């Protein structure tokens, strides 16, 4: 019903308030508008609500990580609105930021901070504000630009004064700290904040699930919950009540989650217990105490994107495909020669993909069965592995999984003394054997580089691999 | 009763260097070991693994283990891994000693 009322304003300006201290740990890797509320980014809530209200043009004044918002919002077609992005400096005051959008405000315009979440009563407030026909009208808060209506007349006013139209709790919700973000999510789950366009399918009353979400046997979900797309919920996991899980998140076996918000791409290790917390990858913020802990331990918490090669790029797969096509003939000839000479042509092996230490301090691995060409030259031995790159199971190049700030790479990144984090894996395969390590450790090290994040080094890798193929066969 | 003061990052490297010493302490019959973590600012699964293994050894020899003074960060990791339900965790060393006495 609300959507049928015509909005008295047609334009909106949203100001990114930059690095809000209360949200600081969560804003180190993402823009404020990308913080999840009820399973979707805050900026998506804004666009939906503005579009539903009949607002057709939105100016975004962005300062912190604007590329993330740009990538998500685009030109606004998804919501039937026209979005313009204006970059502002992080040290600009809201007044200065809004002044830079002055040309856009040539009719009554809603101006708001992006950290405000519009609630059910926001449109009623807007109508009352416009009806007062003042140059500028705010809710009376300390920073009037957090929520106000401006008209073009405002800029001609001698003292840019704001009229005041107070608002109640039904107009908007400020999200200025982690607890506020958590509470907004809990309120979406409980229905206190209504989401007119909830995303996902209701797989049972109160449980929304995104596309591609997988629940393994004996996983228990208690409503209300929202589970993002492509999330993987392991065996015997207990979820809920009051849990929001982001897309592409992995919750490992026998974990327990209650009253918490999990951001996209988070890995939660087995037997981990989360209660009243906001988790973004390896960062956990306890809501009650406000304590933020950077865990980055693949057995407890981590970031799926940096822990395992989940995405092998198309370019990387193509390079691997062409390399395989180019080298398959000599590889097969070599195999035939081996067979003709009465030797074994292929060997089976198993790649060990490290996942960290278990609670007894032992290394823990995933395994991937592979075939090797039964020759001494390690380049040739590993050629069949290129097929796994084509299939997206292995990455072609390796780089350190934790590249941010002064975070050290995990201990298992140094399985082999001679290797440096970030070197190309397939082109540099004999370091471990030269160093006197056993075959298993060489495989571990190789697997690490295969499994870790990769850089745009495909062509360099290709050339080095080709060059190394012609080394003397030991 | 033995009080072991740990400090800094109690991760895989620290766990490796203290493993033998802690485990030998745990081998004495009826030993009470207090791990004072007042100055520990980070613990990971390797550190937790060592604490668990020391705890197990102590139990096998009828000993006891307690932890004192964990920072909020360290306590959070104990809570995440549910180990706070297994160990006696005290705010301060004095409180831990008082509980034993």
């Amino acid at each position: 019903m609300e959507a049928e009322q015509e909005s008295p304003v047609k334009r909106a300006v949203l100001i990114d308030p930059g690095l809000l201290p209360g949200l600081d740990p969560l804003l180190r890797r993402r823009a404020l508008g990308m913080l999840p509320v009820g399973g979707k980014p805050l900026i998506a809530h804004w666009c939906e609500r503005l579009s539903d209200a009949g607002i057709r043009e939105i100016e975004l004044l962005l300062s912190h990580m604007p590329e993330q918002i740009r990538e998500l919002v685009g030109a606004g077609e998804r919501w039937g609105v026209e979005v313009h992005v204006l970059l502002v400096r992080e040290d600009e005051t809201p007044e200065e930021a809004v002044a830079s959008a002055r040309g856009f405000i040539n009719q009554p315009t809603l101006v708001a901070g992006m950290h405000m979440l519009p609630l059910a009563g926001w449109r009623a407030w807007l109508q009352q504000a416009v009806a007062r026909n003042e140059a500028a009208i705010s809710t009376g808060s300390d920073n009037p630009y957090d929520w106000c209506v401006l008209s073009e007349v405002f800029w001609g006013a001698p003292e840019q004064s704001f009229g005041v139209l107070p608002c109640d709790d039904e107009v908007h919700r400020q999200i200025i700290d982690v607890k506020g973000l958590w509470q907004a999510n809990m309120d979406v789950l409980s229905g206190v904040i209504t989401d007119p366009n909830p995303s996902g399918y209701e797989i049972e009353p109160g449980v929304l699930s995104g596309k591609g979400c997988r629940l393994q046997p004996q996983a228990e979900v208690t409503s209300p919950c929202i589970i993002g797309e492509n999330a993987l919920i392991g065996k015997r996991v207990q979820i809920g009540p009051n849990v929001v899980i982001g897309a592409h998140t992995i919750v490992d076996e026998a974990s327990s989650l209650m009253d918490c918000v999990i951001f996209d791409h988070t890995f939660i290790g087995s037997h981990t217990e989360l209660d009243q917390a906001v988790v973004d990858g390896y960062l956990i913020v306890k809501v009650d105490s406000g304590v933020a802990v950077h865990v980055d331990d693949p057995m407890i918490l981590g970031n799926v994107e940096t822990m395992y090669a989940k995405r092998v790029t198309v370019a990387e797969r193509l390079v691997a495909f062409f390399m395989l096509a180019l080298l398959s003939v000599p590889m097969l000839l070599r195999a035939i020669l081996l067979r003709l000479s009465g030797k074994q042509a292929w060997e089976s092996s198993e790649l060990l993909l490290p996942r960290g230490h278990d609670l007894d301090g032992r290394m823990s691995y995933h395994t991937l069965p592979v075939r090797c060409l039964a020759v001494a030259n390690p380049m040739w031995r590993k050629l069949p592995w290129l097929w796994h790159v084509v299939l997206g199971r292995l990455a072609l190049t390796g780089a350190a999984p934790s590249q941010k700030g002064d975070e050290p790479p995990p201990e298992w990144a140094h399985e082999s003394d001679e290797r440096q984090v970030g070197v190309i894996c397939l082109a540099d395969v004999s370091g471990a054997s030269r160093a006197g390590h056993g075959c298993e450790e060489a495989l571990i090290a190789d697997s690490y580089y295969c499994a870790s994040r990769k850089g745009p080094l495909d062509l360099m890798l290709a050339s080095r691999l080709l060059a190394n193929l012609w080394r003397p066969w030991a | 009763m033995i009080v072991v003061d740990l400090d800094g990052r109690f991760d895989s490297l620290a766990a490796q260097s203290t493993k033998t010493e802690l485990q030998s302490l745990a081998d004495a019959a009826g030993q009470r070991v207090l791990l004072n973590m007042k100055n520990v600012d980070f613990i990971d699964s390797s550190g937790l693994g060592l604490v668990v293994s020391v705890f197990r050894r102590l139990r096998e020899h009828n000993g006891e283990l307690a932890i004192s003074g964990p920072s909020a960060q360290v306590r959070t990791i104990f809570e995440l891994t549910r180990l706070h339900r297994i160990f006696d965790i005290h705010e301060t060393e004095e409180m831990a000693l008082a509980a034993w006495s």
Side-chain angles (χ1 to χ4, degrees), chain A residues 251-392:
Chain A
V251 185
D252 212 345
E253 282 184 36
S255 292
S256 167
L257 282 64
M258 188 191 295
D259 298 326
C260 53
V261 180
I262 315 295
F263 286 19
D264 294 353
H265 298 286
T266 293
F267 173 82
I268 297 169
S270 62
H271 296 89
T272 298
E273 184 174 82
L274 291 168
D275 185 13
Q276 297 211 343
V278 175
V279 182
D280 180 9
Y282 39 72
L283 177 79
I284 175 171
V285 184
K286 296 287 284 181
V287 173
D288 48 1
S289 60
V291 172
V293 184
H294 183 245
V295 181
D296 201 11
D297 185 323
M299 297 306 294
I300 305 173
L301 284 181
N303 186 301
V304 171
E305 284 184 302
T306 53
M307 283 173 67
Y308 310 117
K310 288 295 173 191
R311 290 187 300 181
V312 181
T313 62
V314 175
E316 204 166 8
R317 293 184 192 209
L318 283 174
V319 168
F321 180 79
F322 285 117
M323 285 167 66
L324 196 60
L326 180 70
L327 299 168
S328 57
V329 174
M331 181 172 68
L332 291 173
L333 280 175
R334 179 74 180 139
I336 291 167
L337 283 173
L338 285 169
R339 291 295 295 163
L340 288 176
S341 59
K343 294 177 184 168
Q344 191 182 351
W346 305 99
E347 289 174 1
S348 294
S349 186
E350 204 168 50
L351 287 187
L352 306 173
L353 306 181
R355 14 178 336 194
H357 294 89
D358 62 18
L359 286 181
D360 287 330
R362 291 187 298 260
M363 287 294 291
S364 166
Y365 305 97
H366 291 303
T367 56
L368 176 67
V370 289
R371 297 210 121 198
C372 304
L373 189 62
V375 293
N377 185 320
M379 294 291 103
W380 285 96
R381 286 182 67 80
K382 292 181 179 185
L383 277 182
W385 296 12
L386 287 170
W387 182 240
H388 291 288
V389 182
V390 175
L391 295 179

Side-chain angles (χ1 to χ4, degrees), chain B residues 52 55 59 65 81-88:
Chain B
V52 170
F55 174 72
R59 289 282 291 266
L65 177 82
T81 49
R82 310 183 199 201
L83 292 175
H84 65 300
R85 295 179 188 165
I86 298 172
F87 300 129
D88 288 330

